[in-house]
Amino acid sequence: MEYLKLPGEIRVEDKEDRILGGSNKPPGAGDNPHTDLSRVYSKDLLPTAGGESLTCKFFQELVNILLDYIFKSNERSSKILDFHHPHQLKEGLEGFSLDLPDHPEPLEQILVDCRDTLKYGVKTGHPRFFNQLSSGLDLVGLAGQWLTATANTNMFTYEVSPVFLLMEEVLLKKMQSIVGWCEEEGDGIFCPGGALSNLYSVLVARYDSYPEVKTKGMCALPRLALFTSEHSHYSVRKAAAVLGMGSDSVQVVPCDERGKMISRELESSIAEAKAKGLVPFYVNATAGTTVYGAFDPLTAIADVCDRHQLWLHVDAAWGGGLLMSRRHRGKLQGIERASSVTWNPHKLMGAPLQCSAILIKKRGLLQECNQLCAEYLFQSDKHYDISYDTGDKTIQCGRHVDVFKLWLMWKAKGSEGFGSQVNKCLENAEYLFEQLQRRADFKLVFESKPEHSNVCFWYLPPSLRGLPPGPDTNRRLHEVAPQIKAKMMEEGTTLIGYQPLGSNVNFFRCVFSNPATQHEDVDFLLEEIARLGSNL
Ligand code: ABU
């Protein structure tokens, strides 16, 4: 099969010769000496005069390496990872060295380095990769990422990112309307990941109540209290620490057995904090917890926030994708009452990493909170509408273009396409749940049907089946998942995460966010866990 043809003097050889992994013959060997990549260097590429054909040749080979990787990622029989310990990779493997040279290496070696970098990495786009909330490889999204990298610009001002900034505005408005905010409401920014989006929510909420914090700092403020559930993401505590309130200012609200915040416990927690002299200002509710995939009762929590006049943030980094599905969006009922929302399209919607939005209901707050008007960048006398110089809304200066890939995917799928993709991931979770219910060698962490695509379970090796529950059984069960995971990484056939949570000893968490995953992959996962754990 021919992957890519380019015009001119560059010939397309057989696939085996062209793909670095398929032959010992180096790319370009035997070609016109002017395009032999073993004898040319980065200095010979553009912008060097006459560098067009070498640039074509280099990229032809690079694209072939990337295509080969993409094809392998979609082959179920290919390994997800070729695991090596850190010391092995640091020592160097089969000509792959991490050391940095003093002298330039030829482009042929640079291509080998590209191939090897992928070879020793993890194929997160493989349909049997269940390890992380973000997985899969959306090819239109990838094309968007390539374009963004090629444009190589910065999101701080309209003068250097006119199209991307307008795309960001379009996306933010679309996401705000899907959340349920009206036309007059809504602001936001794309930023590097859900933890930072959550940090923005705390920062802006605090500024809303205490604008003097921007200039006077924490010494001008009372002792503040934030509230979040015991199953929520650790980034809320991290935000409190980073923002100078201290992680102890975060009051942890108990959850029910399914991992949902108990709203009356929130009410009690607020009363207790007030009694201790703390001043509550912020509640984080989670739509789709990291481990259980639980949805906090948003309407009940919003009622509590209204009663106490608290900022309600909804961390929908993981669960936000369900808003795209008519079948599942009801699980986030009440999100429209939030003052801010975190939503990561790089998770359930499959946008390539990274792509995370912080949405703020009150317009203008983000700008007021963060702007410092650096005059070398955000000049007030520019000849265009400077409200599009959105960089001063952020705590960064330079900002990566994270929006184009999502915009392009949305064009390619439509909102309906995202809805179908989300439905497929949740159907896979239901299928896994049903299989686990049937099997005696597995045990579900909770018996109710999954609400999101998280399914949590233990594998019971033959030696543990039928044992009475108790500390000794638990101690032994705690060791099962890590041992299976270690073997799984060595063999590289599939990948799934595990963790303890509360009083539950180590259990597997399977998450589905790759629409390429089929029922056969779910069956494979269970058989593989049983195979790897059969002797434990
Ligand atoms: N909270 C970031 C994602 C964690 C995970 O993929 O498991």
Side-chain angles (χ1 to χ4, degrees):
M1 185 184 9
E2 287 181 349
Y3 292 172
L4 183 66
K5 286 197 179 194
L6 290 171
E9 65 184 280
I10 298 163
R11 289 175 290 110
V12 176
E13 302 99 336
D14 294 336
K15 173 186 171 186
E16 289 304 308
D17 288 348
R18 286 187 301 104
I19 301 304
L20 288 168
S23 164
N24 289 330
K25 186 179 161 191
D31 275 355
N32 179 336
H34 299 295
T35 58
D36 178 351
L37 298 182
S38 66
R39 282 184 265 164
V40 294
Y41 294 84
S42 62
K43 66 176 174 43
D44 301 312
L45 300 176
L46 286 173
T48 296
E52 288 82 358
S53 64
L54 275 174
T55 301
C56 276
K57 179 72 177 170
F58 178 65
F59 274 92
Q60 178 191 25
E61 296 298 346
L62 179 67
V63 168
N64 287 337
I65 289 168
L66 300 182
L67 284 174
D68 191 47
Y69 179 80
I70 291 168
F71 293 164
K72 283 213 179 82
S73 295
N74 281 280
E75 276 168 23
R76 290 185 159 71
S77 59
S78 75
K79 279 188 165 195
I80 290 180
L81 80 158
D82 181 2
F83 179 76
H84 291 84
H85 288 279
H87 72 89
Q88 294 172 308
L89 283 170
K90 280 158 88 170
E91 282 157 14
L93 293 162
E94 297 166 41
F96 181 48
S97 168
L98 298 176
D99 294 339
L100 297 172
D102 288 332
H103 300 296
E105 294 188 345
L107 292 179
E108 178 191 302
Q109 181 58 43
I110 300 306
L111 289 167
V112 168
D113 288 341
C114 290
R115 182 201 65 187
D116 287 347
T117 299
L118 291 171
K119 175 171 155 56
Y120 298 115
V122 177
K123 295 193 189 78
T124 58
H126 195 290
R128 293 176 179 169
F129 175 84
F130 305 105
N131 207 65
Q132 243 59 64
L133 302 182
S134 42
S135 66
L137 184 59
D138 186 280
L139 295 182
V140 172
L142 176 62
Q145 190 93 300
W146 283 346
L147 185 143
T148 297
T150 307
N152 193 30
T153 193
N154 201 311
M155 286 290 276
F156 38 45
T157 60
Y158 184 85
E159 73 184 71
V160 289
S161 269
V163 183
F164 295 136
L165 278 166
L166 294 178
M167 285 172 173
E168 181 175 47
E169 181 184 56
V170 168
L171 281 168
L172 289 169
K173 280 195 172 149
K174 187 81 174 173
M175 292 167 82
Q176 285 153 9
S177 85
I178 291 170
V179 161
W181 294 345
C182 66
E183 269 287 300
E184 295 71 44
E185 294 171 327
D187 201 343
I189 207 91
F190 278 78
C191 71
L196 278 198
S197 291
N198 286 344
L199 184 137
Y200 271 107
S201 74
V202 178
L203 176 71
V204 172
R206 185 179 64 176
Y207 177 84
D208 191 41
S209 295
Y210 302 98
E212 63 274 27
V213 71
K214 184 171 173 180
T215 48
K216 306 275 180 282
M218 284 305 293
C219 59
L221 271 50
R223 281 173 61 218
L224 300 176
L226 305 80
F227 301 82
T228 194
S229 90
E230 57 183 326
H231 280 240
S232 66
H233 197 256
Y234 69 88
S235 54
V236 177
R237 272 184 303 126
K238 191 166 274 198
V242 169
L243 294 172
M245 291 172 279
S247 56
D248 286 353
S249 64
V250 177
Q251 315 297 306
V252 177
V253 182
C255 290
D256 64 17
E257 71 295 339
R258 188 57 190 77
K260 295 167 182 286
M261 184 195 277
I262 303 168
S263 59
R264 65 169 187 285
E265 294 282 358
L266 171 64
E267 190 90 59
S268 318
S269 196
I270 292 168
E272 276 167 34
K274 284 181 177 172
K276 281 191 243 165
L278 300 174
V279 180
F281 77 105
Y282 170 101
V283 174
N284 170 63
T286 310
T289 57
T290 309
V291 179
Y292 282 6
F295 289 85
D296 285 346
L298 300 183
T299 301
I301 293 172
D303 290 343
V304 175
C305 290
D306 282 352
R307 272 198 292 283
H308 295 272
Q309 294 185 308
L310 305 180
W311 181 284
L312 171 60
H313 175 66
V314 175
D315 177 359
W318 175 222
L322 269 71
L323 292 167
M324 303 305 295
S325 159
R326 268 197 280 271
R327 199 183 299 165
H328 296 289
R329 61 167 290 128
K331 294 171 186 171
L332 291 94
Q333 196 166 5
I335 192 170
E336 68 285 353
R337 293 173 63 187
S339 300
S340 56
V341 171
T342 290
W343 179 352
N344 286 8
H346 70 226
K347 290 193 163 96
L348 195 60
M349 289 167 74
L353 283 160
Q354 52 197 19
C355 191
S356 171
I358 173 68
L359 310 175
I360 309 273
K361 189 181 254 173
K362 191 168 163 186
R363 213 165 266 175
L365 206 49
L366 200 52
Q367 179 88 9
E368 275 175 42
C369 175
N370 294 322
Q371 79 172 1
L372 285 177
C373 305
E375 286 185 353
Y376 80 96
L377 192 59
F378 305 113
Q379 299 90 339
S380 54
D381 47 6
K382 291 182 181 178
H383 77 296
Y384 60 81
D385 177 355
I386 56 166
S387 69
Y388 287 99
D389 285 358
T390 55
D392 221 8
K393 287 184 182 182
T394 75
I395 54 174
Q396 301 170 244
C397 178
R399 198 159 57 101
H400 188 257
V401 179
D402 292 332
V403 290
F404 178 68
K405 58 201 167 194
L406 178 61
W407 180 88
L408 202 64
M409 285 171 71
W410 215 308
K411 284 270 186 187
K413 289 177 203 290
S415 306
E416 290 171 6
F418 279 122
S420 313
Q421 195 170 306
V422 167
N423 291 344
K424 171 95 188 284
C425 293
L426 271 74
E427 279 161 23
N428 275 332
E430 283 183 28
Y431 176 75
L432 172 57
F433 173 74
E434 285 160 16
Q435 300 312 305
L436 290 166
Q437 277 184 316
R438 287 201 192 114
R439 295 183 62 142
D441 48 351
F442 288 91
K443 183 173 162 43
L444 285 154
V445 172
F446 41 84
E447 295 294 331
S448 55
K449 210 170 125 175
E451 291 187 324
H452 201 312
S453 79
N454 308 47
V455 183
C456 298
F457 59 91
W458 290 280
Y459 171 68
L460 305 172
S463 62
L464 291 190
R465 277 173 228 161
L467 289 185
D472 187 50
T473 307
N474 271 345
R475 187 184 48 74
R476 290 171 64 187
L477 186 57
H478 189 59
E479 290 168 7
V480 169
Q483 290 185 58
I484 293 176
K485 174 77 179 259
K487 290 188 192 182
M488 199 177 259
M489 289 182 73
E490 297 285 348
E491 299 208 12
T493 48
T494 185
L495 214 59
I496 180 173
Y498 73 86
Q499 63 288 292
L501 186 60
S503 59
N504 285 324
V505 298
N506 276 328
F507 57 89
F508 289 113
R509 175 202 70 167
C510 189
V511 276
F512 298 92
S513 57
N514 182 356
T517 299
Q518 307 289 352
H519 289 181
E520 62 170 295
D521 302 310
V522 177
D523 296 338
F524 178 86
L525 172 71
L526 295 185
E527 289 309 320
E528 194 65 355
I529 291 174
R531 182 181 74 81
L532 296 169
S534 62
N535 295 328
L536 298 178

